[in-house]
Amino acid sequence: MNIVAVTACPTGIAHTYMAAEQLEKTAKSLGHSIKVETQGAMGIENELSESDISAADAVIFAVDIDVEQRDRFEGKTIVEVPVKEAIRNPAAIFEKLA
Amino acid sequence: MRDHAFTFPLPNGLHARPASQLSEQAAAFETTIAFHNDRNGTSANARSVLELVATNTQAGDPCRVTFDGADEDAAHEVLRRWIDDVLPGCDEPLSAAESGATGKIPRALRELKVERAIVGIPVSSGIGLGVAVVVGREEIPESAFPAKAESPSDESRHFHAVLAQLSSEYDAEISNAHSTDEREIVKAHRALLLDPALKRRVEARIAAGADAARATRDTIQDLVQELAGSESAYLRERVLDLRDVGDRLVRRLLGIEASDRIPALTAPSVIVADTLGPAEFLQLDRSLLRGLLIGDGGTTSHTVILAKSFGIPTLCGLGAAASCIGPGEEVVVDARAGVAVPEPSGAVRTHYERRLAHEERMAGIRRSWIQVEAATADNERIFLFANISSAEEAEAAFANGADGIGLFRTEMLFVGREAPSEDEQAAIYERTVRAAAGRPVTFRTLDVGGDKPVPGFTVAHEENPFLGRRGVRLYEKHADVVKTQLRAMLRAAAGAEGVKIMFPMIACVEEMRLCRELLAQAAEELTALGVEAGKVSAGMMLEVPAAAFAISELAEHAEFFSIGSNDLAQYFLAADRGDSSLAALHSPFHPSFIRLLRQIVEAARSADRPLGICGGIAGESEALALLVGLGIRQLSMAAPLIPGTKASLARLTLAACQESAQAALECPDEATARRAAVASRNDTPWIEPGLVLLDVEAESKPGAIRAMIDALESAGRTADADALEEAIWNREDAYATGFGNGFAIPHAKTDAVLSNSIVVARLTKPIDWGSIDDGPVSVILMMAVRDSQKDAHLRSLAKLSRLLMRDEFRERLAGDSSPDSLSAFLLESLG
């Protein structure tokens, strides 16, 4: 599967990146390709382009705060979970995508 | 008959200190001088402190002083000027009157849910643990008084003899006082003792047949009641002073020992008392005194001022709550949080034992810096001097590790009194020079006017006092006063080295020439009398912007320069330093001001003259790198700041300081320049071996967090540990940072941390953290970054966060048992 994801937490210095790492690691082990955009204290990094999004089979939001530029994802089915779910049990999120 | 009407200016009303000053002024004249309060219709003899205080005069009251008698014109002239010029300034709180404590219960303590905590008003900071010693009220028993009075003339003679004897005892205590605060308070007590109203009322009772002791006791009781009924809390607090004086006087009249209600302490103790007089406080053995819990007494009582100046943790205003602490109970006085905890047990006890151990460690760290030479990490020597205004402070400054005295504000010897004599001044200056033992001492000559009026010297009504006749601008007219001072300084310099004389408010070469002329005359006058004039170097303050552009010419007459940054900024930015609404403008971080400093540094360097700075900015930790980076090597500040400044300097390199000064010079505005000025701290590595805590014993999350905050404080990485703790908890409150596998990462973005930091703690036994996997936590990685952060630093943290998701990384954190190698490993991982 071709997946895009966004992670964002309140302080934006730790959990955002821990969640991104977990999603990338798990996707790889499951044989998916994934691109994770982080919205943290440094702003948006690894930004998802329009073509990234339109080419995606699935979208994951692992967020505790509002996603910036959410309108980019209009028309997509989004699986949205709290950040800590992505850290604790990322595999369960991928199960929901199926 | 003359009179002078005015509106009463002091916010605390007419209390004992201004009243005693007014009565001193009035005492110099023969004429009858009366004080009238036209709001409440009361009047007083202006020579009586007690009558003045009893007029219940509040700020804003319409008042009059009337003069009737032989020298009424002269008295009118002097008192009118005193009332207009000096009175408004004579309510300066004694140094420690305001509370330094936060009064905020720290999170670690809140989480413990202490059951028996007594809340009071913290008036001096610190934590103390000791056995409660309850001091009850002790009245003199009726049986101690004589059965019947002697003849009124005998009783009166007895009364006056005892009064004279006590007065000379007070004199001795004044000259032996350990601090300025102590001396001022004993002086106020002597004024109460010698008050004409007290004498008159006692005489009246004796004439009516009472014995001297009863007459005094009853008079004091009446006066106490009058004060206690006052509308001003400040005046009510003066009751303590009156009781102290009265008790001593009555006992002496009866020939009985001084009160023994103040016990001899035998173990570390906490004194619990409804009321405690300042003289009683001074009787306590301070080596065993760990805390004070006072039922009454507000934050401005003299007892509280003394307690603070001796660093005794104190809570007041406990009311009846104080009485529920029994003698012999162990009690914690936490004057940081504003609580007293009797019989602490279990977790509370552990908490306080750790707090005390930490405070002791911090005190040890402070002490360890005292003997260290102030220098940057790469050994650029910086001289740290102290700003003082009395000889006693010089002794305290050297005890704090000062390299010298950078500024002795001599005007404090003149404000609110008659000019001190040459001998009196010489004694004070000699004592200072003696304390310095060869280290430099810079005496600044009289700098009054502006906000510091001195009667008979400064000008009463000026349109713009700060732009008017102040500092050196008064010297031509008052050459005699200045020369008296210079002679006293030259005498103090005889046989000593390092004595410097500094002239204030110099704007141009003409003024500096005048000062040199006065100095030369003073030396000649001494020589003519056969008195030795010591060798001094003469220099000047740089506080008028014009002088900054005449340094090469001024250097012909000035052997050194010292920047007075507060006035320099006020004049340069045209912003009144006393107006808090202009504080943003009156900031030394404006790039324009920093450029002015650079111009001064360069000009002083090419004139080959030493340059120092003695204004407020010299003690600001945020400005340290900037000043060193600009090339200033002498900083003069309040003495208690010296050990901490040495510690901060040791973490800076000269290159980093120069870089941040250069960056600040190029900034467009104050905010960015301020940030650039502290940026050099960000070169401090994230972690050091001292921040790797193995085998931490903590029963709970609050204890573990506090242990890590303590480590940051010990490492000098936070100046506000409580604020840092609060920031960490704010994040935990959103949701706990335990992320599973026994790990937690508490973190915060806050300027309460001075440089970006990581702390690792491994616990001896796992504790609950509210983790997302509900499991206990045994490894904690705390991350604290400054608020205004470069992305590069945040990127390091992002990298670290990702690494934490890897098993082998966590295994290393949980297993490596060498702080050195773990610290190096983390630094490497951060990239």
Side-chain angles (χ1 to χ4, degrees):
Chain A
M1 239 191 313
N2 192 10
I3 302 166
V4 293
V6 175
T7 60
C9 69
T11 322
I13 63 177
H15 287 78
T16 302
Y17 305 98
M18 291 161 71
E21 179 73 14
Q22 289 292 75
L23 292 176
E24 286 167 10
K25 228 168 55 177
T26 312
K28 198 174 159 197
S29 70
L30 296 171
H32 300 304
S33 83
I34 191 167
K35 180 172 180 184
V36 185
E37 172 180 308
T38 52
Q39 299 188 354
M42 285 174 284
I44 294 179
E45 287 185 299
N46 202 28
E47 186 166 357
L48 298 173
S49 67
E50 250 173 64
S51 57
D52 288 334
I53 296 168
S54 63
D57 305 312
V59 178
I60 299 172
F61 284 178
V63 295
D64 296 326
I65 54 175
D66 290 340
V67 171
E68 301 239 0
Q69 300 169 34
R70 196 183 174 111
D71 49 0
R72 289 178 290 168
F73 301 92
E74 220 159 273
K76 288 277 178 189
T77 310
I78 299 167
V79 173
E80 186 164 342
V81 296
V83 175
K84 56 184 169 189
E85 283 309 307
I87 296 171
R88 189 173 62 128
N89 193 359
I93 302 170
F94 286 88
E95 279 165 27
K96 290 188 199 166
L97 298 179
Chain B
M1 174 95 167
R2 301 287 307 262
D3 75 348
H4 176 58
F6 63 102
T7 302
F8 197 78
L10 301 178
N12 285 318
L14 181 54
H15 58 83
R17 261 183 296 132
S20 70
Q21 290 190 26
L22 175 56
S23 72
E24 273 176 36
Q25 296 290 324
F29 299 96
E30 304 270 307
T31 177
T32 305
I33 305 176
F35 176 94
H36 310 272
N37 181 326
D38 289 335
R39 175 183 61 89
N40 58 19
T42 53
S43 293
N45 173 352
R47 291 188 188 87
S48 163
V49 178
L50 290 171
E51 283 190 20
L52 285 169
V53 167
T55 59
N56 233 327
T57 298
Q58 308 286 310
D61 284 358
C63 296
R64 275 176 307 122
V65 176
T66 56
F67 307 85
D68 191 8
D71 51 0
E72 62 182 38
D73 287 339
H76 174 262
E77 176 58 18
V78 168
L79 264 82
R80 182 184 63 74
R81 280 165 69 167
W82 185 85
I83 287 165
D84 289 347
D85 297 348
V86 180
L87 180 65
C90 78
D91 202 16
E92 287 294 302
L94 290 179
S95 57
E98 75 284 4
S99 160
T102 59
K104 222 174 136 193
I105 299 179
R107 183 64 176 255
L109 189 56
R110 263 184 284 156
E111 295 284 323
L112 290 172
K113 301 186 177 52
V114 187
E115 278 173 22
R116 247 184 103 196
I118 297 163
V119 179
I121 306 164
V123 284
S124 83
S125 76
I127 297 172
L129 171 67
V131 173
V133 174
V134 178
V135 175
R137 187 160 279 164
E138 194 197 30
E139 304 291 345
I140 303 169
E142 192 58 34
S143 60
F145 288 85
K148 72 179 204 20
E150 307 289 328
S151 75
S153 62
D154 284 349
E155 291 290 348
S156 171
R157 207 172 305 119
H158 178 48
F159 174 72
H160 282 282
V162 167
L163 214 52
Q165 191 189 357
L166 262 186
S167 168
S168 54
E169 282 177 27
Y170 277 114
D171 287 342
E173 284 168 27
I174 289 165
S175 51
N176 294 332
H178 293 91
S179 69
T180 315
D181 288 340
E182 185 179 337
R183 188 173 46 241
E184 286 305 312
I185 289 164
V186 181
K187 271 190 190 169
H189 281 199
R190 186 185 56 184
L192 286 175
L193 178 80
L194 299 177
D195 196 280
L198 176 68
K199 263 185 243 173
R200 202 186 56 234
R201 292 197 194 186
V202 172
E203 289 285 6
R205 285 181 191 270
I206 289 175
D211 64 274
R214 278 198 183 82
T216 305
R217 179 194 65 187
D218 296 345
T219 300
I220 295 282
Q221 259 165 20
D222 286 354
L223 289 168
V224 161
Q225 250 155 35
E226 284 165 26
L227 279 188
S230 158
E231 290 153 41
S232 147
Y234 194 96
L235 291 188
R236 288 197 298 273
E237 286 165 19
R238 301 283 80 76
V239 164
L240 285 179
D241 296 313
L242 195 55
R243 279 214 188 107
D244 247 18
V245 173
D247 184 71
R248 198 161 156 184
L249 179 54
V250 172
R251 281 172 192 276
R252 189 57 61 87
L253 286 164
L254 293 171
I256 58 178
E257 287 296 306
S259 161
D260 57 359
R261 88 174 187 123
I262 298 304
L265 305 181
T266 53
S269 304
V270 169
I271 295 291
V272 184
D274 277 346
T275 129
L276 189 73
E280 292 179 317
F281 172 84
L282 291 171
Q283 285 173 43
L284 289 162
D285 177 355
R286 289 189 290 275
S287 67
L288 288 170
L289 183 59
R290 296 289 182 269
L292 288 181
L293 297 173
I294 307 177
D296 67 8
T299 53
T300 57
S301 85
H302 284 153
T303 308
V304 157
I305 288 169
L306 287 172
K308 180 145 186 186
S309 76
F310 287 106
I312 307 293
T314 300
L315 301 183
C316 67
L318 273 76
S323 61
C324 71
I325 297 172
E329 276 194 317
E330 212 178 11
V331 54
V332 171
V333 180
D334 181 348
R336 240 170 119 152
V339 293
V341 186
E343 296 287 290
S345 62
V348 179
R349 188 180 185 87
T350 312
H351 168 82
Y352 275 114
E353 279 168 355
R354 290 194 184 136
R355 305 287 357 110
L356 285 165
H358 177 66
E359 293 223 335
E360 217 162 274
R361 198 157 52 236
M362 290 305 298
I365 291 171
R366 250 182 79 81
R367 276 194 304 275
S368 73
W369 283 105
I370 288 175
Q371 303 303 328
V372 174
E373 272 201 350
T376 59
D378 46 353
N379 282 322
E380 180 70 21
R381 177 81 160 97
I382 309 292
F383 293 88
L384 300 186
F385 295 152
N387 295 342
I388 60 169
S389 50
S390 69
E392 293 88 348
E393 285 175 82
E395 286 147 18
F398 290 114
N400 267 309
D403 287 312
I405 302 300
L407 172 64
F408 187 129
R409 299 186 177 95
T410 60
E411 55 276 8
M412 302 313 283
L413 310 172
F414 290 73
V415 173
R417 55 161 291 174
E418 257 173 62
S421 69
E422 181 180 324
D423 285 347
E424 191 183 338
Q425 289 187 61
I428 293 166
Y429 304 151
E430 273 160 23
R431 185 170 163 195
T432 310
V433 171
R434 228 178 7 254
R439 287 167 286 201
V441 174
T442 309
F443 294 108
R444 181 174 70 189
T445 53
L446 196 54
D447 182 17
V448 295
D451 57 344
K452 288 172 288 197
V454 165
F457 200 79
T458 49
V459 186
H461 299 290
E462 286 182 294
E463 197 73 23
N464 283 308
F466 275 109
L467 300 179
R469 280 161 278 175
R470 59 173 298 209
V472 71
R473 300 169 185 189
L474 293 158
Y475 282 17
E476 200 164 8
K477 186 168 172 215
H478 297 282
D480 48 336
V481 179
V482 178
K483 280 200 287 179
T484 303
Q485 184 172 42
L486 291 171
R487 285 195 303 272
M489 289 172 182
L490 289 166
R491 280 167 57 180
E497 284 189 21
V499 176
K500 301 168 183 225
I501 295 180
M502 178 159 72
F503 297 100
M505 275 300 285
I506 304 281
C508 58
V509 167
E510 289 83 342
E511 289 170 338
M512 198 57 209
R513 275 198 206 114
L514 168 71
C515 291
R516 294 302 304 227
E517 177 58 30
L518 292 172
L519 182 60
Q521 286 174 15
E524 278 165 25
E525 286 161 11
L526 285 177
T527 313
L529 292 168
V531 178
E532 187 189 351
K535 210 176 133 343
V536 297
S537 61
M540 56 172 275
M541 297 281 294
L542 280 173
E543 51 194 335
V544 180
F549 297 91
I551 287 177
S552 65
E553 293 78 15
L554 285 162
E556 298 285 315
H557 313 278
E559 292 162 76
F560 64 89
F561 295 98
S562 185
I563 299 168
S565 57
N566 300 341
D567 270 332
L568 186 62
Q570 140 163 303
Y571 292 130
F572 187 68
L573 290 148
D576 187 341
R577 59 192 255 197
D579 185 340
S580 57
S581 68
L582 296 177
L585 191 54
H586 183 267
S587 154
F589 289 102
H590 284 288
S592 55
F593 186 75
I594 300 171
R595 289 173 206 142
L596 174 67
L597 293 179
R598 180 183 56 177
Q599 137 77 22
I600 292 172
V601 171
E602 285 171 0
R605 192 175 292 147
S606 47
D608 198 22
R609 290 287 180 267
L611 172 70
I613 186 162
C614 61
I617 189 178
E620 269 183 46
S621 67
E622 290 201 320
L624 186 60
L626 172 70
L627 297 177
V628 171
L630 284 171
I632 295 171
R633 294 291 174 270
Q634 297 176 12
L635 307 173
S636 195
M637 61 193 72
L641 297 173
I642 290 175
T645 306
K646 286 183 180 176
S648 303
L649 271 174
R651 280 191 294 277
L652 294 170
T653 61
L654 185 57
C657 292
Q658 284 165 341
E659 232 171 81
S660 58
Q662 194 52 44
L665 279 165
E666 286 162 12
C667 285
D669 54 33
E670 199 262 0
T672 51
R674 184 185 284 270
R675 215 170 298 148
V678 295
S680 60
R681 289 181 183 280
N682 291 342
D683 288 351
T684 310
W686 282 92
I687 188 163
E688 54 195 272
L691 296 177
V692 176
L693 315 175
L694 306 173
D695 306 322
V696 171
E697 284 183 33
E699 290 68 33
S700 62
K701 180 171 170 176
I705 287 180
R706 190 67 211 196
M708 299 173 92
I709 303 276
D710 286 350
L712 286 168
E713 193 179 18
S714 301
R717 288 174 181 248
T718 177
D720 191 346
D722 290 342
L724 179 56
E725 185 181 27
E726 204 60 41
I728 292 285
W729 276 103
N730 283 341
R731 173 60 193 81
E732 289 296 323
D733 289 342
Y735 61 84
T737 61
F739 63 85
N741 304 98
F743 277 71
I745 45 157
H747 56 273
K749 251 181 104 186
T750 167
D751 282 345
V753 68
L754 293 169
S755 60
N756 301 327
S757 302
I758 287 177
V759 189
V760 178
R762 288 215 303 253
L763 307 180
T764 51
K765 56 177 197 292
I767 56 173
D768 177 48
W769 202 276
S771 299
I772 56 176
D773 65 352
D774 298 323
V777 158
S778 55
V779 183
I780 309 159
L781 186 84
M782 180 182 281
M783 305 186 277
V785 287
R786 283 182 59 85
D787 224 345
S788 44
Q789 219 23 259
K790 286 192 207 131
D791 282 358
H793 295 107
L794 294 171
R795 193 153 288 125
S796 301
L797 276 194
K799 192 176 162 202
L800 181 68
S801 303
R802 285 174 178 269
L803 286 171
L804 283 166
M805 297 292 94
R806 303 198 179 156
D807 298 341
E808 65 279 9
F809 187 81
R810 290 196 305 270
E811 278 159 22
R812 177 79 189 257
L813 285 188
D816 191 335
S817 54
S818 150
D820 289 303
S821 91
L822 197 46
S823 154
F825 169 69
L826 277 165
L827 280 181
E828 200 183 303
S829 308
L830 283 157

